Amino acid sequence: MSLGSESYQLLSKIATNDQHGENSPYFDGWKAYEKNPFHPRKNPQGVIQMGLAENQLCFDLIEEWIKNNPKASICTPEGVCKFRDIANFQDYHGLPEFTSAMAKFMSKVRGGRVRFDPNRILMSGGATGANELIMFCLADPGDAFLVPTPYYPGFVRDLCWRTKVQLIPVHCDSSNNFKITREALEVAYKKAQENNINVKGLIITNPSNPLGTTLDKETLKSLITFINEKTIHLVCDEIYAATVFTSPSYVSVSEVVQEMKCNLDLIHVIYSLSKDLGFPGFRVGIVYSYNDQVVNCGRKMSSFGLVSSQTQYMLASMLSDEKFVDKFLLESSRRLLKRHDKFTKGLEEVEISRFPSNAGLFCWMNLKKLLKEETIEEELKLWHVIINEVKLNVSPGSSFNCSEVGWFRVCFANIDDETVEIALQRIRAFVGKETKKKIEVKRWQPNLSLSFTSTRFDENVLSPHNHIIISPHSPLVRAT
Amino acid sequence: MKLLSTKATCNSHGQDSSYFLGWEEYEKNPYDNVHNPKGIIQMGLAENQLSFDLLESWLAKNPDASGFKRDGKSIFRELALFQDYHGMPAFKQALVDFMAEIRGNKVTFDPNHIVLTAGSTSANETLMFCLAEKGEAFLLPTPYYPGFDRDLKWRTGVEIVPIHCTSSNNFQVTEQALQQAYQEAQKRNLKVKGVMVTNPSNPLGTTMSRSELNLLVDFIKENKDMHLISDEIYSGTVFSSPNFISVMEILKDRNDFNNSKDADNIFERVHVVYSLSKDLGLPGFRVGAIYSENDTVVAAATKMSSFGLISSQTQYLLSAMLGDKKFTKNYLAENLKRLKKRQNKLVSGLQKAGISCLESNAGLFCWVDMRHLLHSNTFEAEMELWKKIVYQVGLNISPGSSCHCTEPGWFRVCFANMSEETLKLAMKRLKAFVVESTGNVNGVTTKSTKRNLLTKWVFRLSSRDQRDQQEER
């Protein structure tokens, strides 16, 4: 088949450019994992996936709830009487019981210090869809949003790809604990102005991905002051709000705006259940805006990514079970803390420093001292060694646009305890130091049966007809 | 500096159209046979509520799929974590099998060429993002689904140029109309990236003929940078002849017939959109799909589907349901039987009110001819009549102007989203209204009404012959 000369453009630029971000070299880690995925029995020498910010620590609690609440499903005998109404329900206002349960849940996560209005809740296809939607509402093609570094790599696709908005980095570094300073904001803003770029807002992730830290009230106040002065928007991605496992306690932007003078039309919150509850598969994204016009317009746009009514119905039931929610949030925090401590202790023992964190599903590790030179090339070289020799898929700081080299994000909540041990063993071996303290190192024995339900690794689980469901993933396939 | 984006403050979401305003009125005063018997009956919603019992009985027999289980074991965790934009392989396989079954297995679909999206709303928008730049255009035959103004144009910046179809030939697409639309686009300095059709048609309720489909394929064959999108969302609602012919069948036949390689890469420029919202009556579950043989389109659309993936819980349930071939065979047949029966009830109810409609063989609605009830052959008169029907008669129906019809007086009336009793009541109300406004219905009719009716009858007979001929291979 010959197309002759490409004098015409068959497809759009969006479809054929690489602004989706998936051609970046950072996907080598995923490729390595996909080619050689770790499995406790079948492939104990494989690559351990530590590049995936998933929360797998509390499924047992959810499963128990589901077992005890068959009415929450519209498919069980107990719940099927609701099937037709729910299957038919496509109103973009969402199921009232869903939006009100969501509002209550979001409030609980913030310790009840804020009340959310269910009528301001907009649904979207995960936080991925929510972030794109808010850009479509706030910015025109060519406009820009300021974003503090380091930031989630998926923002390039979510905020820029189809919206044609640009991102302007606000540089933060470890000299002051990656604080978002007024100075850094002003520098970025000024640079945009000098280049005739129209800045429409600032987007922050709080708690931060990849830092794993929450913003203090003072910083939040200064950010709000900044955006008010410039009359630009503040979008707060609070997707990790319920992963705060230790002090300082979480302060949401929605709390701070209650305490200070602020043009509320500029304030918008992005949320999702993918991290806090561990439900990325259910695609529950939320845009919460204090701006009526944005709510109005955003609601119409949410048609492009509504949450399945089946899922809305189930979650409405689950999230309005206050007793369950209270118990879950407490237990989830406790387990995250435990897992965090276990992992970071292991790092300490081999003198790997990390950024002290109080939230998130990952650790921001500092491997600067292992670099030959402080350059991105050396960081990437070290990264390839970690993937190919140490056999851990971690994420290099440069993929997060970090202004300093040597940082790596390593996830710890998407694997079980045994795998954490193995990962730490490998790290120890790599760093080449003997531990002086007495540590029980569980040696992996092929016949050892695992104490957790290893259905995760069973390839045939998801298909009713024995087809393999879980296919190899590439990074942006899962919005990590 | 303005605070919000242009998209947020413009009207391109299309929601100021009468199509949506009618819904708003309904919501303010919805009919309920017990609590609000004088309320507005919703006949503007193309939903299929006739076959839920079949789905419910399947659920009762399949507890595993219903309860996050496989072989009695919980797979909740795996489902909760599954966010792969390639979609669940078992679901995609079941979906393509279902699509093939609807087409009498005359065509098959490759699951690797399917992209899953949150409803066809998302599928259509995604295709626009993939195929056209802002300011480029797609040609669409009128009348068309009002939601296209939002789905195709709003955030993408793509334009729609209408291909004007008229009642003179039952609103079929003609070569002339197609060329005229193309000229119109040229005049407006719009680069045409292709044609988009809905087949079976919304709002007409008719399937496209083989000659129409061939006309469209010829058109894009001539213009090598154009695409043809066929939204086949109603393909499972074809309840009487002529049989549904998918554009994929046309391509296959042409390819076989020509016995030559696809020198014009036609296969890479034809894309099908599907959804389970109409055939299965599951609009709440947000299940849409794009089918394309163009690898680049599939790759790009797959990445874009991140913005609206189908909930894994829903994919799992439906992979089990659609994978049950015994169930799908029975469902499709029974559903069509019920749709046919219900459509007949609407048509005869309308006839009793002296109202005719376009002869239809598909869809969840009829394209109703109320031109004889207009004071004048204008859209103002159509709006006037529409308001009377909404407020006085208490029926929310969709005026043709909201579907961009070029002729005033046509209305889309849905029949599958209510009970039989409600439909009866709606027809009763309509008849009473017609009697009141025209003075009579079946008794003594005025000369012009008689002539009108006779002309239409004769016309329908002759055009039916034409269509029958066209259907012969």
Side-chain angles (χ1 to χ4, degrees):
Chain A
M1 168 201 78
S2 96
L3 292 176
S5 65
E6 296 295 318
S7 56
Y8 55 87
Q9 177 78 5
L10 187 62
L11 306 184
S12 68
K13 293 195 187 80
I14 292 177
T16 49
N17 66 25
D18 54 8
Q19 298 302 304
H20 46 72
E22 280 184 42
N23 291 340
S24 100
Y26 302 112
F27 294 88
D28 290 351
W30 287 81
K31 290 177 193 156
Y33 169 74
E34 279 163 28
K35 267 194 251 170
N36 184 19
F38 172 81
H39 186 288
R41 287 185 299 280
K42 297 181 191 163
N43 190 19
Q45 301 307 319
V47 176
I48 298 177
Q49 176 62 282
M50 301 189 89
L52 197 49
E54 274 178 356
N55 183 354
Q56 296 191 25
L57 303 184
C58 291
F59 281 124
D60 57 317
L61 301 178
I62 310 268
E63 280 164 336
E64 198 198 330
W65 187 92
I66 290 190
K67 208 167 72 178
N68 296 332
N69 291 272
K71 260 179 138 177
S73 164
I74 51 173
C75 303
T76 55
E78 295 85 343
V80 77
C81 55
K82 298 289 283 170
F83 180 83
R84 60 181 68 194
D85 286 341
I86 299 299
N88 212 38
F89 185 87
Q90 58 171 328
D91 183 346
Y92 59 24
H93 290 88
L95 275 177
E97 54 264 46
F98 172 69
T99 49
S100 89
M102 202 64 218
K104 262 202 231 119
F105 180 72
M106 287 170 70
S107 174
K108 268 197 193 288
V109 169
R110 289 151 185 76
R113 296 181 292 276
V114 198
R115 293 209 90 81
F116 289 94
D117 177 0
N119 296 317
R120 291 192 173 283
I121 288 184
L122 307 178
M123 294 181 286
S124 56
T128 302
N131 279 318
E132 191 195 46
L133 191 150
I134 197 69
M135 286 300 115
F136 271 125
C137 288
L138 303 181
D140 285 331
D143 287 345
F145 257 73
L146 305 176
V147 57
T149 66
Y151 61 83
Y152 163 57
F155 274 166
V156 172
R157 172 197 60 195
D158 302 351
L159 306 176
C160 308
W161 188 25
R162 305 192 305 181
T163 60
K164 305 210 174 137
V165 167
Q166 21 180 343
L167 289 181
I168 299 198
V170 176
H171 293 291
C172 306
D173 59 62
S174 61
S175 62
N176 65 348
N177 291 327
F178 293 96
K179 194 180 167 96
I180 310 169
T181 62
R182 181 69 188 234
E183 293 71 40
L185 287 167
E186 294 284 5
V187 162
Y189 188 80
K190 192 163 167 242
K191 191 161 174 216
Q193 303 240 290
E194 282 163 6
N195 288 301
N196 268 320
I197 297 172
N198 192 19
V199 176
K200 286 312 290 280
L202 165 67
I203 179 163
I204 60 171
T205 308
N206 176 33
S208 161
N209 173 15
L211 302 176
T213 50
T214 52
L215 291 176
D216 58 82
K217 201 177 267 200
E218 199 190 303
T219 305
L220 279 167
K221 282 194 164 149
S222 91
L223 297 181
I224 292 171
T225 307
F226 173 76
I227 57 118
N228 266 285
E229 279 171 19
K230 308 277 194 258
T231 316
I232 62 176
H233 295 276
L234 179 60
V235 175
C236 302
D237 187 337
E238 300 193 340
I239 194 179
Y240 291 98
T243 66
V244 179
F245 48 78
T246 190
S247 63
S249 59
Y250 184 54
V251 180
S252 158
V253 69
S254 48
E255 287 175 59
V256 182
V257 296
Q258 283 175 160
E259 298 175 15
M260 64 185 282
K261 247 193 162 170
C262 168
N263 177 0
L264 286 179
D265 278 346
L266 302 174
I267 309 292
H268 322 274
V269 177
I270 300 294
Y271 190 55
S272 160
L273 297 180
S274 300
K275 311 296 179 183
D276 290 349
L277 285 180
F279 293 162
F282 296 161
R283 313 316 301 149
V284 182
I286 303 288
V287 175
Y288 187 92
S289 176
Y290 290 89
N291 180 319
D292 289 343
Q293 226 179 338
V294 170
V295 169
N296 209 323
C297 153
R299 180 156 287 134
K300 297 174 178 68
M301 281 193 191
S302 67
S303 298
F304 298 111
L306 296 174
V307 176
S308 168
S309 56
Q310 175 189 21
T311 302
Q312 285 186 56
Y313 186 73
M314 177 190 71
L315 293 173
S317 189
M318 191 186 290
L319 298 182
S320 55
D321 183 342
E322 301 211 30
K323 223 168 136 200
F324 167 74
V325 168
D326 290 339
K327 174 174 159 215
F328 179 91
L329 289 175
L330 218 60
E331 184 61 18
S332 175
S333 251
R334 198 188 66 83
R335 294 183 189 186
L336 277 170
L337 175 64
K338 191 167 172 223
R339 177 56 67 81
H340 164 271
D341 287 353
K342 181 188 178 79
F343 189 71
T344 52
K345 187 157 173 257
L347 293 182
E348 272 163 31
E349 281 159 5
V350 288
E351 292 172 23
I352 288 181
S353 70
R354 46 144 195 125
F355 192 63
S357 62
N358 64 325
L361 310 172
F362 32 72
C363 210
W364 189 233
M365 256 182 351
N366 189 341
L367 302 181
K368 223 176 273 195
K369 62 180 185 180
L370 298 176
L371 296 180
K372 292 204 186 90
E373 273 174 58
E374 277 186 31
T375 61
I376 290 188
E377 291 72 33
E378 286 303 314
E379 179 183 282
L380 291 179
K381 266 198 198 145
L382 174 60
W383 177 55
H384 277 107
V385 167
I386 297 176
I387 297 169
N388 297 316
E389 293 175 25
V390 190
K391 305 258 177 58
L392 301 177
N393 180 29
V394 300
S395 313
S398 45
S399 68
F400 293 88
N401 249 279
C402 188
S403 342
E404 276 176 33
V405 294
W407 293 93
F408 289 78
R409 189 192 78 170
V410 57
C411 300
F412 55 65
N414 63 310
I415 48 182
D416 59 67
D417 282 329
E418 271 76 5
T419 311
V420 172
E421 281 295 346
I422 294 167
L424 288 173
Q425 268 175 38
R426 292 182 184 183
I427 291 173
R428 274 184 217 116
F430 173 63
V431 173
K433 294 202 168 152
E434 301 297 315
T435 66
K436 290 190 177 128
K437 294 177 190 167
K438 262 196 228 159
I439 297 163
E440 269 181 33
V441 176
K442 282 193 192 148
R443 293 198 187 279
W444 179 254
Q445 286 152 39
N447 297 325
L448 190 68
S449 63
L450 298 167
S451 57
F452 67 103
T453 51
S454 55
T455 48
R456 164 134 237 264
F457 299 106
D458 290 339
E459 286 175 337
N460 294 338
V461 172
L462 280 188
S463 163
H465 308 291
N466 266 330
H467 294 167
I468 292 170
I469 292 286
I470 301 176
S471 53
H473 309 293
S474 84
L476 289 182
V477 157
R478 292 167 178 249
T480 55
Chain B
M1 179 189 66
K2 59 184 172 66
L3 198 60
L4 303 186
S5 68
T6 308
K7 289 178 181 70
T9 46
C10 69
N11 256 353
S12 307
H13 50 71
Q15 228 155 286
D16 297 335
S17 110
S18 46
Y19 180 74
F20 295 101
L21 292 176
W23 286 28
E24 278 171 27
E25 288 311 308
Y26 163 76
E27 252 134 54
K28 282 188 221 160
N29 181 19
Y31 168 80
D32 179 281
N33 66 332
V34 172
H35 303 291
N36 191 17
K38 295 224 161 68
I40 298 178
I41 297 175
Q42 175 64 286
M43 304 189 88
L45 199 48
E47 276 176 0
N48 181 356
Q49 297 189 21
L50 303 186
S51 303
F52 281 125
D53 58 312
L54 302 178
L55 303 176
E56 286 157 350
S57 96
W58 184 90
L59 290 171
K61 300 194 196 112
N62 292 271
D64 263 9
S66 318
F68 290 118
K69 288 202 194 98
R70 184 187 164 262
D71 294 339
K73 238 181 4 162
S74 168
I75 54 162
F76 177 84
R77 173 190 204 117
E78 282 67 28
L79 288 178
L81 292 172
F82 185 85
Q83 57 169 325
D84 182 349
Y85 61 24
H86 293 99
M88 222 174 258
F91 175 55
K92 291 201 298 182
Q93 188 62 58
L95 185 61
V96 300
D97 288 346
F98 187 64
M99 288 169 70
E101 198 178 346
I102 287 174
R103 290 155 184 73
N105 289 308
K106 294 196 202 105
V107 281
T108 53
F109 297 89
D110 178 352
N112 294 318
H113 287 267
I114 273 260
V115 179
L116 301 176
T117 62
S120 64
T121 299
S122 179
N124 284 321
E125 189 195 47
T126 297
L127 269 179
M128 287 299 111
F129 272 123
C130 288
L131 306 180
E133 305 296 341
K134 177 181 162 143
E136 293 181 339
F138 263 78
L139 310 180
L140 264 69
T142 65
Y144 64 75
Y145 163 56
F148 279 157
D149 290 324
R150 172 196 60 195
D151 302 349
L152 307 181
K153 296 176 12 173
W154 190 18
R155 305 191 307 179
T156 62
V158 170
E159 295 289 341
I160 295 177
V161 175
I163 303 169
H164 293 296
C165 301
T166 67
S167 60
S168 62
N169 70 341
N170 291 329
F171 297 93
Q172 290 187 71
V173 178
T174 62
E175 165 109 46
Q176 192 187 32
L178 189 52
Q179 292 301 336
Q180 263 172 9
Y182 186 70
Q183 308 301 341
E184 174 66 26
Q186 309 283 72
K187 248 196 279 170
R188 287 168 59 183
N189 254 322
L190 298 169
K191 181 170 198 303
V192 177
K193 284 316 294 277
V195 180
M196 175 157 176
V197 298
T198 307
N199 177 29
S201 161
N202 173 13
L204 302 176
T206 51
T207 48
M208 289 186 83
S209 64
R210 195 170 283 277
S211 59
E212 280 175 284
L213 288 166
N214 273 307
L215 169 69
L216 295 172
V217 175
D218 286 337
F219 180 72
I220 65 154
K221 195 168 182 264
E222 290 292 308
N223 298 284
K224 293 193 175 34
D225 45 354
M226 284 201 201
H227 300 266
L228 176 59
I229 302 173
S230 180
D231 185 340
E232 303 190 346
I233 193 180
Y234 291 98
S235 47
T237 67
V238 182
F239 49 78
S240 69
S241 64
N243 283 334
F244 175 58
I245 304 172
S246 163
V247 70
M248 297 307 280
E249 205 187 312
I250 297 286
L251 285 188
K252 187 165 171 238
D253 289 348
R254 287 167 76 114
N255 209 41
D256 289 342
F257 181 73
N258 287 328
N259 209 19
S260 61
K261 288 210 189 112
D262 182 23
D264 303 303
N265 73 331
I266 279 283
F267 274 96
E268 299 211 333
R269 300 192 280 121
V270 175
H271 321 280
V272 173
V273 169
Y274 188 54
S275 160
L276 297 181
S277 299
K278 310 296 179 182
D279 294 348
L280 282 184
L282 305 173
F285 289 179
R286 313 316 300 144
V287 181
I290 297 169
Y291 186 84
S292 176
E293 300 275 349
N294 185 318
D295 289 336
T296 316
V297 171
V298 171
T302 301
K303 294 177 179 69
M304 287 190 194
S305 68
S306 300
F307 299 112
L309 297 174
I310 301 177
S311 172
S312 57
Q313 170 188 33
T314 302
Q315 288 190 54
Y316 182 65
L317 172 69
L318 295 173
S319 67
M321 190 185 280
L322 297 184
D324 182 344
K325 302 291 198 307
K326 210 165 147 210
F327 166 76
T328 55
K329 188 164 174 213
N330 176 55
Y331 178 91
L332 287 171
E334 182 61 25
N335 182 46
L336 291 180
K337 239 202 262 168
R338 296 180 188 188
L339 283 173
K340 182 175 185 173
K341 194 167 166 221
R342 184 58 75 83
Q343 185 255 22
N344 285 345
K345 286 221 149 57
L346 175 64
V347 171
S348 61
L350 289 169
Q351 267 169 10
K352 290 195 185 96
I355 298 172
S356 65
C357 49
L358 183 72
E359 195 178 328
S360 65
N361 63 325
L364 310 172
F365 32 74
C366 281
W367 188 234
V368 178
D369 185 356
M370 298 206 206
R371 289 178 291 176
H372 61 296
L373 298 175
L374 297 183
H375 284 157
S376 58
N377 184 21
T378 62
F379 286 111
E380 288 73 31
E382 180 185 281
M383 271 298 108
E384 217 185 286
L385 175 60
W386 176 66
K387 283 191 186 129
K388 282 200 193 125
I389 296 180
V390 172
Y391 295 110
Q392 288 176 31
V393 186
L395 306 179
N396 178 33
I397 62 177
S398 311
S401 49
S402 70
C403 303
H404 301 277
C405 187
T406 43
E407 290 175 23
W410 292 90
F411 291 79
R412 189 191 79 169
V413 179
C414 300
F415 56 71
N417 64 309
M418 69 201 73
S419 71
E420 218 177 290
E421 293 68 42
T422 309
L423 182 60
K424 254 196 208 137
L425 173 63
M427 293 299 99
K428 214 167 130 200
R429 287 185 185 181
L430 195 54
K431 182 170 173 186
F433 168 72
V434 171
V435 166
E436 211 188 288
S437 41
T438 63
N440 56 60
V441 172
N442 286 322
V444 180
T445 52
T446 61
K447 257 200 189 143
S448 65
T449 321
K450 244 196 200 152
R451 209 185 308 130
N452 240 337
L453 286 171
L454 184 62
T455 320
K456 279 189 213 138
W457 182 247
V458 167
F459 193 76
R460 232 185 286 133
L461 279 176
S462 63
S463 61
R464 197 193 300 160
D465 287 341
Q466 244 179 22
R467 282 159 73 100
D468 285 343
Q469 279 169 16
Q470 283 161 0
E471 296 324 311
E472 284 168 19
R473 282 172 192 254

